[in-house]
Amino acid sequence: MADVYVNISRGKTATQSSSYQNYGNASLALTAGPTGALSFCTDLQDAPWWTVDLGGVFSVHRITVWNREDCGPDVARRAIPLQIEHSHDNQTWKAVLRCDYLFGGALSDSPLTATLAEPVLTRYVRLRVIGTSYLHLDHVEVLTRVPENAIVLPHATATNIRPSRNAMLADLRLLHSAGFFSNCTILLETIMQLAARGIAVDRIDATSSFLFFKDDPLDSEYFHEFFDVRPDEIDANVRHDSFAWPEVHGCYKTMDYGKFRRFVRSYFSPSADILGHAGVLAEKYGIDPDNTLCIWYRGTDKKVELAPVEVDHYVKAADSILRDNPNLRVVVQTDQQQVLEYLTGYYKDRCVYFPELPATQNDVGFHHEDIPGKYAITRKQFSKWLLAAVILLSKSKHLVSHTGNVGFWLALYRDNPVGLRQFNGDNPASVESGG
């Protein structure tokens, strides 16, 4: 069966070495299609370059480059000799090929098409002129090859589609890479979309995902180290009417938990390793979920999604619970050091937190930090403690939480809204209570 090529660079982020006048939006070369005109232009400089971040590690099979053709061959010739390079970390580069001849673009229908004899696994692709020149191009596409029967979704590709007892089975490669639970949400959504087509996923390749949480960027088995995918339950979970959009910013009190339950159990049940980590936290800090009030406050960069909720609102909600349940123990979990210090100072001896999950004082998402360098913990270790904390604290008798991906997964693992109070950034003074 023939293979097809899929553009994995569309809509991704690009950068350039410098900017000539107003032609500094490098990402324009990845949008729409080739027109014959330039999308970006560097200054005159030595070895000008343009780089695309694919957002994950991909197998790159082909790179197509459209030159500008609106000012004649002398201007188009500025793009040669052009060297194509790739990198895992945007620091160390390896050459893929070099083009020494004048290539065209949309008007002549003669772009540079570089089909690689051996595909490269990489995250970054760079185009660099050898010598002193301007670099200005029309359009660029970086492509991977997939089987003809593959299903290409916005954030994943399903391959190896085959029949099973009650449904079709498929292998899934997740292409989204952001926060840990953002990745989980997109994966859940994708699995449910495929289930609506009668296709069940039984193998998940995370090579291009969870990049901020890996020690080895090429670790394709990462997901299965964290979650216990249960193939024996997959066929029974597939229904053609099973798709429900995960409303991360919705109300968890009214969420239809039944729509998600079977998928969470089949694909996101914690592995024995993660359960072991949760057990360590419970024993070390004396956590009894039935006697626990958990305050989970998400700070740092969450403000880019929702208006921040002042921590005093969380305190008021927690205090109202404690008035009726004075023997509850308070467990605080937050990524914001200032909030951690405030809450532990406020609740004093009745409060505990997990030092295994360090907090930061800035407004940068923790996964963008230099975790090993600043906190003496590997990215994978941090991820395991994070998931373990969510698993353990989701079962707290009372949970005061936020709206967002972590809050959503706390609710999913809780499996009901009873005892859950959720703050919504759209109306910070209110709280959705599940009883």
Side-chain angles (χ1 to χ4, degrees), residues 118-335:
E118 294 292 335
V120 294
L121 278 174
T122 195
R123 175 172 177 174
Y124 299 92
V125 174
R126 182 169 76 178
L127 309 180
R128 184 167 64 93
V129 176
I130 306 301
T132 300
S133 181
Y134 296 92
L135 176 59
H136 40 57
L137 297 169
D138 176 7
H139 188 67
V140 181
E141 292 183 1
V142 181
L143 304 107
T144 190
R145 192 171 62 213
V146 299
E148 189 176 40
N149 71 335
I151 298 176
V152 180
L153 299 165
H155 303 290
T157 302
T159 60
N160 192 23
I161 301 170
R162 58 203 183 274
S164 67
R165 296 188 302 275
N166 302 316
M168 302 294 287
L169 294 181
D171 299 336
L172 188 71
R173 183 164 188 177
L174 182 62
L175 307 180
H176 178 82
S177 190
F180 185 92
F181 286 102
S182 170
N183 300 333
C184 291
T185 298
I186 293 297
L187 179 57
L188 172 64
E189 175 187 310
T190 302
I191 289 171
M192 295 182 73
Q193 285 178 323
L194 289 171
R197 303 186 186 190
I199 300 172
V201 174
D202 71 341
R203 192 71 190 166
I204 296 166
D205 180 354
T207 303
S208 301
S209 187
F210 294 93
L211 295 179
F212 297 112
F213 304 92
K214 291 179 178 179
D215 302 326
D216 176 6
L218 300 181
D219 184 358
S220 63
E221 296 300 312
Y222 179 93
F223 184 84
H224 293 274
E225 189 173 339
F226 285 71
F227 300 101
D228 180 17
V229 177
R230 301 173 179 176
D232 292 342
E233 300 179 14
I234 291 175
D235 283 0
N237 282 343
V238 173
R239 299 289 186 275
H240 288 275
D241 61 348
S242 58
F243 180 66
W245 199 274
E247 296 183 1
V248 171
H249 294 150
C251 175
Y252 307 151
K253 175 183 176 181
T254 58
M255 184 167 67
D256 186 352
Y257 287 83
K259 282 284 189 180
F260 302 104
R261 184 174 298 125
R262 52 189 170 170
F263 295 99
V264 172
R265 290 178 178 175
S266 290
Y267 295 97
F268 298 94
S269 290
S271 66
D273 187 17
I274 298 301
L275 290 175
H277 278 67
V280 168
L281 294 176
E283 181 176 357
K284 184 176 180 179
Y285 300 102
I287 306 298
D288 174 10
D290 291 334
N291 192 44
T292 295
L293 162 61
C294 172
I295 302 174
W296 196 302
Y297 183 94
R298 175 73 162 82
T300 63
D301 62 341
K302 181 51 63 176
K303 63 185 179 182
V304 303
E305 295 180 23
L306 294 171
V309 177
E310 294 296 330
V311 68
D312 286 344
H313 292 301
Y314 285 73
V315 171
K316 290 177 182 178
D319 283 352
S320 69
I321 295 170
L322 292 171
R323 280 193 293 270
D324 297 328
N325 303 269
N327 295 322
L328 289 177
R329 195 174 189 207
V330 178
V331 178
V332 172
Q333 177 53 45
T334 177
D335 54 359

Side-chain angles (χ1 to χ4, degrees), residues 19 21 29 44 55 62 75 80-82 96 120 153 161 180 183 233 317 328 330 337 378 388 400-401 418 426-427 431:
S19 176
Q21 295 185 357
L44 179 65
R62 177 180 291 174
V75 171
I80 56 173
L82 184 70
V96 175
V120 294
L153 299 165
I161 301 170
F180 185 92
N183 300 333
E233 300 179 14
L328 289 177
V330 178
Q337 182 66 30
T378 69
V400 180
S401 184
V418 177
D426 293 333
N427 188 2
V431 60

Side-chain angles (χ1 to χ4, degrees), residues 353-422:
Y353 69 97
F354 301 149
E356 287 81 358
L357 287 169
T360 179
Q361 292 190 344
N362 60 39
D363 60 357
V364 176
F366 197 85
H367 54 286
H368 292 297
E369 294 267 22
D370 177 14
I371 295 176
K374 293 180 65 174
Y375 303 102
I377 184 174
T378 69
R379 292 183 177 275
K380 182 179 282 189
Q381 287 171 339
F382 170 79
S383 309
K384 289 183 176 181
W385 288 123
L386 175 62
L387 178 57
V390 167
I391 297 296
L392 176 62
L393 297 178
S394 69
K395 304 302 182 183
S396 300
K397 184 173 183 178
H398 292 275
L399 175 60
V400 180
S401 184
H402 65 283
T403 299
N405 282 294
V406 176
F408 178 67
W409 282 90
L410 282 165
L412 287 180
Y413 281 122
R414 190 177 188 82
D415 199 32
N416 65 74
V418 177
L420 170 63
R421 298 197 180 191
Q422 170 201 359

Side-chain angles (χ1 to χ4, degrees), residues 13-16 49-54 63 83-97 120-128 142:
T13 300
T15 54
Q16 61 194 69
W49 53 260
W50 174 95
T51 299
V52 58
D53 178 359
L54 298 175
I63 300 154
Q83 184 158 289
I84 301 178
E85 304 165 331
H86 78 94
S87 171
H88 292 304
D89 58 7
N90 204 22
Q91 299 294 325
T92 304
W93 296 89
K94 294 182 180 179
V96 175
L97 60 84
V120 294
L121 278 174
T122 195
R123 175 172 177 174
Y124 299 92
V125 174
R126 182 169 76 178
L127 309 180
R128 184 167 64 93
V142 181

